[in-house]
Amino acid sequence: VEGAPRPGPPAGEGLRVSALTLASEELLRALGAWERLAAPSPFRAMRVWDAVGGGAIAFEAEEVGEHALGHIVENADLVHALWARLEALETVDLLPGASLDGLSREGGQWRLRLADGRQLHARLLVGADGARSRVRHLARIPLAERPYGHAALVAPVTTGLPHRATAWQRFLPTGPLAFLPLADGRCSIVWSTKEQEARRLLGLEEGAFRRELGEAFGHALGEVTAVGRRACFPLAMRHAERYVDEGLALVGDAAHTIHPLAGQGVNLGLLDAAALAEAVLEARAAGRDFAARRVLRRYERARRGHNQLMLAAMDAFRLLFAPATGPLPWLRSRGLELVDGASPLKGWIARFACGRAGELPALVRPGGAAALGLAAPCP
């Protein structure tokens, strides 16, 4: 059940993009969706530096034995690829342009009432309907919510120097500024700053915006020579009090939203989906009721703590790089330099960031689909 109409082919605008980890790539390959992506852009290096203290850290894919640290993918491209894969499955019914109007629990099933009057019944209902989840609201699952007081300004840009398949991030006193490499040579920027400042930047004419953007980035890629359409959206931390009820599970932004400074939002959602799929598949294989709360609680235990840790880590990073006087700017810059020189710790951070470390669902590990008895791509 999808509120939006069927997506058309992506326009290649480069406005809204995601940095997919290698774990997310594994999942999409297992689903048979990866090869349907039009233009995933690998980044093989990452450069992060502090605009105030000058400290920096760099990561290289070859240092951790990988072909890339991740891929930049346009959101519209990812949605289109997944939709095309779903259309190829005879066991899936797609209802685009349909919205959920009512929800009730009857006889061990959920009854869904759509806005056009249609009714559906399901033993297991998955709320994957975004930050303003209608499923979460109708299921009366409480939500902790705290605005960050920041907004993210996004736009595709052309720079005077090539991006060199590198993801760049500069921590400014007002928030992080990222330049993410696109396959066509451009970059997609994510500029997180105070909401009032983001609105001011959004309203600038192109020449003035290019100049301010180049200065904010320290001209690390030369002059900004062109800017595409700009957009801005507010940022907030959200976390559902619980992820599951009897016959119901929340995944992705319906369960949690996070600051984009580490680019982990969509990856956390895909990890949720993989962990839920694993719990359901193993319950079915063992002859158990896959919609039972005790089965779904396994998914919740696997994911809620990890997501809470990431939410806390992003809060800590925001505070660490907030405007400060005294020794803090010097200390955080020295900290970046120390980590950059500490190979074991730096390597673990790189492996964790690209989805090769920590407790991971089987479907996002190499060979995980086969381990669960699935062909690749998933039938």
Side-chain angles (χ1 to χ4, degrees), residues 57 59 64 335 338-352:
I57 189 169
F59 299 96
V64 290
L338 285 171
V339 173
D340 193 42
S343 295
L345 175 59
K346 180 181 167 183
W348 184 88
I349 292 172
R351 289 192 296 274
F352 185 86

Side-chain angles (χ1 to χ4, degrees), residues 71-162:
H71 290 77
I72 305 301
V73 174
E74 190 170 355
N75 290 3
D77 188 13
L78 179 57
V79 170
H80 183 262
L82 288 167
W83 193 277
R85 184 68 185 104
L86 281 171
E87 285 185 322
L89 297 175
E90 295 180 358
T91 53
V92 176
D93 293 321
L94 296 170
L95 303 180
S99 58
L100 182 62
D101 190 52
L103 188 62
S104 59
R105 184 81 177 155
E106 298 175 0
Q109 288 192 326
W110 289 100
R111 181 170 69 88
L112 289 72
R113 186 177 69 254
L114 305 185
D116 61 9
R118 283 180 291 179
Q119 293 194 15
L120 305 173
H121 293 83
R123 288 175 60 198
L124 174 59
L125 171 63
V126 179
D129 50 344
R132 301 297 179 187
S133 171
R134 185 74 172 152
V135 171
R136 185 188 64 227
H137 173 73
L138 291 173
R140 295 182 174 84
I141 296 177
L143 180 74
E145 184 171 7
R146 186 181 72 252
Y148 285 120
H150 276 205
L153 187 150
V154 297
V157 303
T158 303
T159 57
L161 297 176

Side-chain angles (χ1 to χ4, degrees), residues 108-351:
Q109 288 192 326
W110 289 100
R111 181 170 69 88
L112 289 72
R113 186 177 69 254
L114 305 185
D116 61 9
R118 283 180 291 179
Q119 293 194 15
L120 305 173
H121 293 83
R123 288 175 60 198
L124 174 59
L125 171 63
V126 179
D129 50 344
R132 301 297 179 187
S133 171
R134 185 74 172 152
V135 171
R136 185 188 64 227
H137 173 73
L138 291 173
R140 295 182 174 84
I141 296 177
L143 180 74
E145 184 171 7
R146 186 181 72 252
Y148 285 120
H150 276 205
L153 187 150
V154 297
V157 303
T158 303
T159 57
L161 297 176
H163 54 57
R164 306 197 299 275
T166 298
W168 309 77
Q169 187 165 54
R170 191 183 198 204
F171 281 95
L172 304 166
T174 53
L177 169 59
F179 275 57
L180 306 174
L182 298 177
D184 62 9
R186 294 180 300 164
C187 290
S188 181
I189 66 161
V190 183
W191 193 348
S192 300
T193 186
K194 293 181 179 179
E195 291 190 36
Q196 183 176 354
E197 174 66 1
R199 287 193 294 270
R200 184 190 71 81
L201 292 168
L202 192 65
L204 291 176
E205 60 89 17
E206 183 181 325
F209 179 77
R210 285 193 286 107
R211 286 190 293 274
E212 290 205 27
L213 177 61
E215 291 171 6
F217 196 53
H219 301 289
L221 292 175
E223 298 297 319
V224 178
T225 59
V227 176
R229 184 166 69 91
R230 286 169 269 168
C232 182
F233 53 95
L235 302 174
M237 184 284 294
R238 302 178 183 89
H239 205 192
E241 183 179 276
R242 59 184 184 276
Y243 290 7
V244 302
D245 273 334
E246 191 73 24
L248 182 146
L250 301 177
V251 299
D253 284 2
H256 47 79
T257 62
I258 191 171
H259 197 285
L261 69 88
Q264 288 299 311
V266 69
N267 296 296
L268 294 181
L270 290 172
L271 287 173
D272 290 350
L276 178 59
E278 184 176 335
V280 168
L281 287 167
E282 292 191 348
R284 284 189 63 192
R288 297 193 301 270
D289 179 7
F290 62 81
R293 185 186 178 97
R294 65 182 180 276
V295 169
L296 300 177
R297 278 279 293 150
R298 180 191 166 194
Y299 150 68
E300 183 178 52
R301 287 192 299 271
R303 294 301 307 148
R304 199 174 196 286
H306 180 268
N307 293 334
Q308 184 66 60
L309 181 63
M310 289 298 295
L311 288 166
M314 292 309 99
D315 271 354
F317 269 109
R318 282 195 318 110
L319 294 173
L320 179 63
F321 286 93
T325 57
L328 182 58
W330 181 87
L331 287 171
R332 71 192 179 201
S333 288
R334 299 297 77 76
L336 284 174
E337 292 172 351
L338 285 171
V339 173
D340 193 42
S343 295
L345 175 59
K346 180 181 167 183
W348 184 88
I349 292 172
R351 289 192 296 274

